[in-house]
Amino acid sequence: MTAVREPVAGYYLNLDLLGRPHRVYVEEAGQGIPLLCLHTAGSDTRQYRGVMNDPDITRDFRVISFDMPWHGKSSPPAGWQTEEYRLTSADYARMVLEMCDALALEMPVAMGCSIGGRIALVLAMRHAARFRAIIGLQSGASIDPYYELTWFHHPQVHGGEACAAYVSGLMAPTSPDADRWETLWHYMQGGPGVFKGDLYFYRGADGDIRDRLGAIDTRVCPLYLLTGEYDYSVSPEDTRAAADRIKGVKFSVMPKLGHFPMSENPALFLQYLRPVLDEIRSARSAAF
Amino acid sequence: MTLPLETLKERAAGDALLARFALDFDCALLIGDGDTDWLVRITRGEVVQVTKGPFIMPKTDLRLRAASDTWSKFLAPVPPPGYHDLLALRRFRRIQIEGDIQLMSAYLFYLKRLFALLRA
């Protein structure tokens, strides 16, 4: 049997995030233009394994992803046991910028999915000058609640299985079984209350940003929105409604993908992502 | 009426994925297919009885009802977006879900698999 080592390196970064010491797990692959990848609520960097292992991308891009605090191999901050984890839009955006600073990323491309897709819109709105381009996957400006969050953190319901079961249908039925179930395993491994705390992000002060999307200036930072057709949490119609309010945005629907494009079917997702990254790289070359 | 519930017991028997999420599941599940009701009794994870209605005030833990046309699209080998999952139906208000939502949440993988087994 042959053992193959992936060209992906992981390490821990000790730094202050949101004014508190954290130990954050980071993964990287490739070199070139920094491409910072933000995982979905309740999951971790493993969602981007397909991007990190694609030589067509890592030839020109330094792909970086980090487990948000409380997620994956990043622990919560000291004192977590007496707190309720609740992600806010402001904290999430600040955390992304602080990670960019800590990693000394110069004009990175940011790509986020789901809550990462929402923060992509917020970054484009408030911090466009910090980024070469922004890619939102499954980005929506508001959410139509259709389930109760209670069961994601309840002593009489297995949180991991409930979180995974609630998101399982968000993937395309045609995505490969192995990749779909790996995506779900990541959800099953989430810490108690973390997925629920992430989703607070959608229900807080910045839960509905539709009226503010007009402030996005895509001349400062190009914005791409890609949405899988089987996602019913952030449906193509939801992203289209957001895109209609943003001048110059490039929006496309990804057939045969759902809410976790990079993780549920990496090979297919890369077919949609590569042309976007090619365009971003070419624009950069032209500018220089 | 669209769902082939008369064959559910056979479809469920021996299914490895259903068994994976079956631990200690007891449920009286009412499934509405248009005007037709069915009662599925699950005991310790096993589908032990499937009965076609009508019923008079049955005692149930969970009730899932949708139009036959909705179930018909749900049953397609590759269902269209929005019809491919129980919660997709819920998202677009195509299914009525009532009863013990805690029980449903605890056994949602089981329930999703049970309905998926009705395809093909």
Side-chain angles (χ1 to χ4, degrees), chain A residues 144-146 151 154 156-157 161-162 164-166 168-169 171 174 181 184 188 229-230 232 238, chain B residues 17 20-21 78-81 84-85 87-88 90-93 101-102 104-106 108-109 112:
Chain A
D144 175 20
Y146 61 96
W151 313 113
H154 190 285
Q156 291 182 308
V157 174
E161 290 198 351
Y166 267 87
S168 66
M171 292 180 274
T174 47
W181 281 99
L184 295 176
M188 292 178 181
E229 67 169 343
Y230 273 94
Y232 51 84
D238 293 331
Chain B
L17 195 50
R20 169 69 179 74
F21 296 107
V78 180
H84 61 290
D85 181 86
L87 289 183
R90 165 74 193 115
R91 163 69 170 80
F92 297 108
R93 277 64 175 172
I101 303 303
Q102 178 179 320
M104 185 196 81
S105 299
L108 189 54
F109 268 126
K112 286 188 173 189

Side-chain angles (χ1 to χ4, degrees), chain A residues 11-170:
Chain A
Y11 57 92
Y12 289 93
L13 205 61
N14 287 274
L15 79 167
D16 280 359
L17 282 179
L18 309 177
R20 299 170 74 180
H22 279 82
R23 183 170 185 258
V24 172
Y25 178 70
V26 184
E27 281 185 356
E28 288 199 24
Q31 59 277 312
I33 302 168
L35 172 60
L36 183 65
C37 302
L38 307 170
H39 60 74
T40 66
S43 190
D44 58 61
T45 59
R46 287 174 292 177
Q47 292 185 318
Y48 286 100
R49 63 195 181 282
V51 179
M52 295 222 179
N53 278 287
D54 182 25
D56 284 345
I57 290 176
T58 55
R59 188 173 52 239
D60 297 307
F61 287 88
R62 176 187 168 198
V63 185
I64 306 150
S65 188
F66 67 93
D67 290 346
M68 290 166 67
W70 302 78
H71 299 70
K73 294 206 273 190
S74 295
S75 297
W80 67 270
Q81 67 276 14
T82 57
E83 301 172 16
E84 182 181 358
Y85 170 63
R86 281 184 163 185
L87 183 68
T88 67
S89 180
D91 283 354
Y92 193 1
R94 181 179 161 193
M95 187 161 49
V96 171
L97 297 180
E98 289 181 342
M99 284 299 296
C100 288
D101 290 341
L103 292 163
L105 304 183
E106 187 185 341
M107 291 297 285
V109 178
M111 176 167 72
C113 185
S114 186
I115 60 166
R118 167 67 73 84
I119 207 65
L121 295 175
V122 174
L123 295 173
M125 195 186 303
R126 297 185 188 149
H127 306 286
R130 296 280 308 261
F131 296 93
R132 188 180 313 275
I134 294 174
I135 305 168
L137 309 172
Q138 317 307 129
S139 297
S142 64
I143 287 289
D144 175 20
Y146 61 96
Y147 56 80
E148 176 58 58
L149 298 181
T150 306
W151 313 113
F152 297 157
H153 188 201
H154 190 285
Q156 291 182 308
V157 174
H158 189 290
E161 290 198 351
C163 293
Y166 267 87
V167 303
S168 66
L170 297 173

Side-chain angles (χ1 to χ4, degrees), chain A residues 220-239:
Chain A
V220 177
C221 176
L223 176 64
Y224 299 83
L225 300 179
L226 290 79
T227 295
E229 67 169 343
Y230 273 94
D231 188 357
Y232 51 84
S233 173
V234 182
S235 69
E237 290 69 32
D238 293 331
T239 307

